[in-house]
């Protein structure tokens, strides 16, 4: 396919699916479909991956590129990317390996460490671990209080608990374990919560940093989808050196994981200015209240232009349809 005008490409937006984040994915997908139309794309279809005839519709559509607006299991973990690779359809955002690695928090942490990115101390447990009093005491002794307990491969804060006493650990681990095969128990890092979007392929760059102000114990799934003006401060109120370091580490995480197109890394900046990474989202949310579009607007990139860029990055990274 030889096209000089990317808006002549036929695009299919993939959303929905079966994860806990199905509804927010559908919202992201519809928002991206609308934005691509505003950017001048002439053909932008929308498919819910959970539809029984999804694969047939995808195969019959003769699409030039797939815009992946899925979050969580089957969408952000490399599964849908693998299907698109098999079908030779270029797609937005990261490939199979980076998607799978970014989703598995403990695996990602090992890569962060190798890249010199500070991470919280933590313990990885099987999802069916039964935490007794002895184990709870050992975890508290090792990690202190409060402690965060989270599924090792879920998103949008589903299954996450903030534990403030040892007797809460058993229930928190069981809750996180119900969401997946592994559970991550981490020390709580105190400081300023920020999120750093990064866009690009071979030469990615960081967008303005968002300071997340919640008024809650942590940035949970309820807070995430409230109006952005309630919780986003852009640019983040950080000392200049800490701000620059957080952007540098976010780009380093993007490259270390092998991300393409976009990523969004979340950090806690400690009182000494050290950013400690929590996780990297390989398919950031794309609703009106989402962090990535909000940050891009502060750099002068409106949502339609941002979505167009993602299609351009997709064709650059994954080639054109064979």
């Amino acid at each position: 396919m030889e096209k000089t005008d990317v808006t002549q490409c036929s695009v299919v937006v993939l959303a929905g699916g079966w994860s806990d984040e199905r509804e927010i994915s559908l919202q992201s997908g519809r928002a991206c479909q609308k934005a691509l139309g505003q950017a001048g794309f002439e053909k932008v279809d929308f498919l819910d991956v959970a539809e029984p005839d999804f694969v047939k519709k995808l195969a019959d559509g003769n699409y030039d590129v797939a815009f992946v607006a899925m979050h969580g299991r089957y969408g952000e973990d490399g599964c849908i990317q693998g299907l698109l690779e098999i079908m030779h359809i270029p797609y937005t955002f990261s490939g199979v390996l980076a998607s799978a690695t970014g989703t598995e928090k403990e695996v990602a942490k090992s890569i962060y460490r190798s890249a010199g990115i500070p991470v919280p101390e933590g313990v990885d447990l099987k999802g069916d671990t039964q935490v007794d009093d002895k184990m709870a005491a050992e975890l508290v002794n090792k990690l202190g209080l409060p402690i965060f307990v989270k599924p090792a491969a879920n998103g949008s804060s589903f299954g996450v608990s903030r534990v403030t006493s040892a007797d809460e650990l058993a229930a928190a681990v069981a809750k996180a374990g119900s969401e997946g095969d592994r559970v991550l128990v981490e020390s709580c890092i105190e400081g300023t919560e920020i999120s750093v979007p990064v866009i690009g392929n071979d030469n990615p760059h960081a967008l303005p940093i968002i300071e997340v102000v919640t008024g809650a114990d942590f940035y949970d799934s309820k807070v995430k989808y409230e109006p952005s003006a309630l919780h986003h401060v852009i640019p983040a109120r950080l000392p200049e050196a800490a701000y620059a370091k957080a952007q540098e580490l976010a780009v380093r995480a993007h490259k270390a994981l092998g991300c393409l197109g976009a990523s969004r890394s979340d950090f806690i900046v400690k009182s000494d200015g050290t950013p400690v990474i929590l996780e990297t989202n390989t398919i950031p949310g794309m609703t009106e209240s989402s962090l990535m579009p909000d940050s891009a607007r502060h750099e002068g990139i409106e949502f339609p232009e941002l979505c167009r860029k993602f299609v351009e990055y997709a064709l650059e990274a994954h080639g054109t349809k064979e």
Side-chain angles (χ1 to χ4, degrees), residues 9-265:
C9 293
S10 66
V11 181
V12 59
V13 177
L14 305 183
W18 306 271
S19 78
D20 293 331
E21 299 175 79
R22 169 180 168 78
E23 292 304 319
I24 195 65
S25 169
L26 290 171
Q27 292 177 40
S28 284
R30 290 298 185 191
C32 292
Q33 181 186 30
K34 179 180 178 181
L36 288 167
Q38 293 171 335
F41 286 82
E42 297 179 2
K43 182 182 180 182
V44 185
D45 291 344
F46 182 96
L47 287 180
D48 182 348
V49 173
E51 293 178 10
D53 57 351
F54 156 69
V55 175
K56 184 177 187 305
K57 287 181 177 179
L58 183 61
D60 292 345
N62 194 31
Y63 297 110
D64 296 317
V65 63
F67 195 109
V68 183
M70 298 179 66
H71 308 306
R73 195 171 299 166
Y74 306 118
E76 202 166 357
D77 59 4
C79 289
I80 193 67
Q81 291 80 8
L83 174 64
L84 293 166
E85 291 280 357
I86 291 169
M87 298 180 74
H88 301 287
I89 301 175
Y91 54 93
T92 58
F93 310 121
S94 298
V96 175
L97 181 58
S99 299
T101 302
T103 298
E104 288 289 341
K105 294 181 176 67
E106 188 62 23
V107 176
K109 282 177 69 174
S110 67
I111 293 174
Y112 299 146
R113 290 190 193 96
S114 296
I117 303 170
V119 300
E121 187 173 4
V123 175
D124 179 56
L125 301 174
K126 290 183 177 180
D128 60 358
T129 298
Q130 302 291 313
V131 177
D132 56 20
D133 291 344
K134 179 181 178 182
M135 178 179 284
E138 290 173 349
L139 288 170
V140 170
N141 184 58
K142 179 179 178 64
L143 303 174
L145 287 171
I147 293 173
F148 277 105
V149 181
K150 60 186 76 172
N154 207 349
S156 206
S157 302
F158 287 104
V160 177
S161 299
R162 184 177 187 270
V163 171
T164 57
S165 65
D167 58 9
E168 297 173 353
L169 270 169
V173 170
K175 177 183 175 182
S178 69
E179 298 285 347
D181 297 331
R182 310 293 303 181
V183 172
L184 188 58
V185 184
E186 285 186 331
S187 59
C188 176
I189 307 299
E190 301 289 348
T192 302
E193 187 167 358
I194 62 169
S195 193
V196 191
V198 173
I199 61 173
N201 291 333
D202 294 337
N203 297 295
H205 74 278
L207 296 176
I209 297 177
I210 308 107
E211 179 181 346
V212 179
V213 182
T214 66
D217 286 339
F218 64 99
Y219 194 41
D220 62 17
S221 55
K222 177 181 181 296
V223 171
K224 282 184 179 181
Y225 304 122
E226 291 178 346
S228 59
L230 295 177
H231 305 294
H232 301 177
V233 177
I234 308 174
R237 298 166 295 186
L238 295 173
E240 184 177 345
Y243 194 101
K245 185 63 175 178
Q247 287 190 311
E248 187 263 318
L249 290 178
V251 171
R252 194 186 301 181
H254 183 97
K255 291 180 175 179
L257 292 172
C259 294
L260 296 170
S263 68
R264 200 199 74 234
S265 291

